[in-house]
Amino acid sequence: MKFLKESKLTSLRVIQLQIHHEFLSDKSSLLYEEAFYLPIVEDAVIHEKDIPTVCKMVLRDYIHCHFVSMGQFFVHFGWDYYMYIGSNQPCNNAIQFVQNNKLFVEEYPSPYYLVEEKVIRYVEWAAKGEEVIVGEERLQNVPLSELQKALHLSKEHPVIGSFTIKPDNIDFFQQLMNHTIDLVKCDYYLYCGD
């Protein structure tokens, strides 16, 4: 929160959201808090009052996500409670606060940071109801703005992660592919990463 304040931001966008419903349903856990039923969806804007709750949810493995404010700030959550924080503002006071509170901080690039030029995008498919990917086709030279529009994402979303292809965007993806999409036989996903 100190980094966010020093970066002069009051909200962040959620990307790459994964909800672990099996953990959220166990209200008897000592790690559970009533605030964890915060409605959260991919591409949601989380305001500063709710950011600590979402961070707790990630660090306690109830969900997984990253935060972004495009071109300004990011928080990537890694393994073993690592948080990678990037800002386009110097955050010397926040760094000093972290050090004064006996936490470890160092300058280190986030292994989760991807620039658009390095993102590879595939449409993958699996037999209906199955998890094993049986085919994939790489998408080439598709403008980010067109992907954002087809997936109903904000202009701030970097279109990184995995997205289900649905009937309302099948025509968009079909025009980019040689494979004929058949939503009756297969489930289709857009995978975007490195």
Side-chain angles (χ1 to χ4, degrees):
M1 294 309 292
K2 296 286 186 186
F3 283 92
L4 189 70
K5 183 176 182 179
E6 201 161 347
S7 298
K8 300 176 179 64
L9 295 171
T10 59
S11 64
L12 294 171
R13 188 169 300 279
V14 169
I15 64 168
Q16 295 179 275
L17 177 65
Q18 298 172 1
I19 300 173
H20 304 146
H21 295 286
E22 67 279 9
F23 297 128
L24 274 175
S25 63
D26 181 11
K27 296 179 181 181
S28 65
S29 170
L30 294 175
L31 299 175
Y32 178 82
E33 293 183 20
E34 195 61 41
F36 288 0
Y37 267 93
L38 180 71
I40 184 170
V41 295
E42 180 72 22
D43 204 28
V45 173
I46 306 296
H47 296 282
E48 62 186 327
K49 71 177 181 58
D50 292 323
I51 289 173
T53 299
V54 176
C55 289
K56 284 182 189 179
M57 291 172 76
V58 172
L59 294 170
R60 295 179 187 180
D61 205 29
Y62 285 95
I63 65 171
H64 178 75
C65 69
H66 296 306
F67 288 123
V68 296
S69 181
M70 287 305 285
Q72 298 179 71
F73 191 88
F74 66 80
V75 177
H76 298 154
F77 295 91
W79 296 100
D80 297 327
Y81 304 105
Y82 277 85
M83 293 174 67
Y84 301 89
I85 301 172
S87 177
N88 68 352
Q89 301 293 316
C91 295
N92 297 327
N93 292 331
I95 291 169
Q96 189 62 52
F97 175 83
V98 169
Q99 291 171 333
N100 290 346
N101 283 279
K102 299 183 178 158
L103 294 170
F104 181 72
V105 64
E106 69 176 325
E107 191 170 323
Y108 190 84
S110 171
Y112 305 101
Y113 186 79
L114 282 174
V115 293
E116 176 60 21
E117 296 77 31
K118 302 265 183 183
V119 177
I120 299 169
R121 295 188 170 95
Y122 291 90
V123 172
E124 302 176 323
W125 54 93
K128 203 74 169 167
E130 299 292 325
E131 293 185 13
V132 177
I133 299 297
V134 295
E136 67 180 25
E137 191 172 325
R138 186 169 177 179
L139 301 183
Q140 304 258 359
N141 304 318
V142 183
L144 181 62
S145 60
E146 288 186 24
L147 290 167
Q148 291 164 332
K149 185 177 177 183
L151 295 167
H152 310 291
L153 299 171
S154 69
K155 292 179 181 179
E156 244 196 341
H157 197 293
V159 190
I160 296 172
S162 184
F163 305 88
T164 301
I165 294 176
K166 300 177 182 177
D168 70 337
N169 57 24
I170 189 174
D171 292 338
F172 172 80
F173 287 101
Q174 185 61 77
Q175 71 181 346
L176 303 171
M177 298 176 60
N178 293 320
H179 169 83
T180 301
I181 296 175
D182 184 348
L183 288 177
V184 174
K185 292 183 179 177
C186 295
D187 294 317
Y188 289 82
Y189 309 94
L190 174 66
Y191 168 77
C192 312
D194 56 357

